[in-house]
Amino acid sequence: MKNIIYEDKDIIVAYKPAGIATQTARACQRDMVSELKNYLAHAGGGEGEPYLGLVHRLDQPVSGILVFAKNHQAAAKLGRQAADGRMGKYYYAVVWGRAKRQQGRLEDYLYKDGKANQSVVAQAGAPGAKKAILEYRAVKTLMVLEEGMGQPEYSQPFAEREVSLVEIRLLTGRHHQIRVQMSHEGMPLLGDGKYGSPKSRELSRIIGCRNVALCAYKLVFSHPVSGKEVTFERQPEGEIFQPFCPFP
C-alpha cells in the first residue's frame, strides 16, 4: 500500500490524503481504516478480519500522518499517549493574512455542537466547553498573484492577498480545534468553508483551494513495545503548499 510510511508487528504509520475519511460507516466511501484492513487481510492470506486499532483521527478534508495499532496491547498504550498529550502532533497550515505575532500560544474553551458538526469558542466554565491549547510559529508569508485577480469580481486589495505558512503544535485534541482557534485568532485556514472568513473564502475560491489547507506533517510518540521515541515526517502535498517549498 503506497501510503504506508512504516510498519512492524505492532503498528502501522500511514499518510492520509485530503478528502479521505479516517473511518466511516458510509457505504461506497473510502476510508483509511477499511483500506488498511483490506491490506492486512491480503497480507495475512485472508484468514478472518484483521485487528486494526484506531488511535487518533484527522478530519476528512485534512491530510497527514496517522498511527494505527495492530494488536490490543499496542492500541491501549498508544491511546494513553494520545489522551494525555504525550503524542507530539505537528501541522503545517496555510492561513489567510499575516500572523499578528511570529509565534504564540492559543488557549480557548471550545464547545462542540454535535447536530451542526461544528465547534465554537465559548467562555470558560460554559457547560460542555473544553479547554483547547495549541502553539504556532509563522514560517513564511507570500503574496498571491493569480490571473484574474485584477478583475472586478476580485475585490480584495493587495494587502489582503497575503497568505502565510504556519507550523502548529497541537497540545489538546478537540473537535476541529486548529480550524476554530486559528480562525478565532484572525488567521482562518484557506479552503475552510466552515470556519473561514468571507475574505478567506473569497481568496480560496479565486485560487481554487477546495480542501482545508492543513497537513499533519510530523508525529512523535513512544513505540508501544520498545518504548523508544520515534518520529515520522512527510511533507505536505497539494498545490496550496507548493509555493512554500522547500519546507524548513
Side-chain angles (χ1 to χ4, degrees):
M1 184 175 173
K2 67 178 181 179
N3 287 323
I4 291 179
I5 298 171
Y6 173 83
E7 180 183 5
D8 62 26
K9 64 182 180 64
D10 300 294
I11 64 173
I12 293 181
V13 179
Y15 179 85
K16 186 189 85 65
I20 297 178
T22 303
Q23 185 182 41
T24 182
R26 297 178 182 176
C28 302
Q29 182 177 338
R30 292 178 62 193
D31 70 276
M32 291 297 294
V33 169
S34 296
E35 292 192 1
L36 288 170
K37 280 189 173 183
N38 289 337
Y39 159 77
L40 291 173
H42 180 76
E47 296 182 2
E49 182 177 349
Y51 177 85
L52 187 73
L54 179 61
V55 176
H56 58 127
R57 298 172 182 266
L58 292 173
D59 296 343
Q60 186 167 333
V62 177
S63 62
I65 300 174
L66 292 164
V67 60
F68 300 86
K70 294 173 69 175
N71 54 65
H72 292 282
Q73 180 185 21
K77 291 185 177 180
L78 289 171
R80 284 194 290 269
Q81 291 185 55
D84 63 19
R86 286 181 291 135
M87 185 173 287
K89 301 175 183 178
Y90 298 83
Y91 295 73
Y92 278 132
V94 180
V95 304
W96 176 82
R98 183 185 294 265
K100 299 175 183 178
R101 296 172 290 170
Q102 186 64 29
Q103 59 186 22
R105 179 184 175 99
L106 304 183
E107 297 189 15
D108 298 292
Y109 284 84
L110 303 186
Y111 170 77
K112 178 184 176 181
D113 183 342
K115 292 183 179 179
N117 189 32
Q118 189 166 351
S119 291
V120 296
V121 175
Q123 294 292 326
K130 296 181 179 180
K131 193 170 187 178
I133 307 172
L134 63 79
E135 296 174 344
Y136 74 85
R137 177 178 66 90
V139 179
K140 184 185 294 186
T141 298
L142 299 175
M143 179 76 71
V144 176
L145 296 173
E146 291 282 338
E147 291 184 10
M149 283 196 169
Q151 302 300 318
E153 68 165 339
Y154 193 77
S155 60
Q156 293 182 358
F158 283 102
E160 296 180 356
R161 301 182 190 183
E162 290 182 328
V163 296
S164 300
L165 180 71
V166 179
E167 182 187 39
I168 296 166
R169 183 184 180 191
L170 193 62
L171 298 178
T172 55
R174 308 305 180 201
H175 178 256
H176 294 173
Q177 180 180 334
I178 292 175
R179 298 161 64 186
V180 178
Q181 287 192 279
M182 295 299 286
S183 181
H184 185 69
E185 188 67 9
M187 295 180 285
L189 275 61
L190 293 188
D192 195 343
K194 180 168 288 194
Y195 300 105
S197 67
K199 291 178 179 179
S200 71
R201 291 192 190 103
E202 183 182 6
L203 182 56
S204 298
R205 177 182 63 82
I206 291 293
I207 64 177
C209 182
R210 296 179 178 85
N211 281 313
V212 177
L214 182 63
C215 177
Y217 84 95
K218 183 166 71 172
L219 191 64
V220 184
F221 57 90
S222 296
H223 191 281
V225 175
S226 71
K228 179 182 177 181
E229 182 177 274
V230 291
T231 300
F232 299 96
E233 292 189 45
R234 181 156 168 174
Q235 297 305 315
E237 299 176 351
E239 293 183 4
I240 192 64
F241 290 101
Q242 295 311 307
F244 297 97
C245 290
F247 293 91

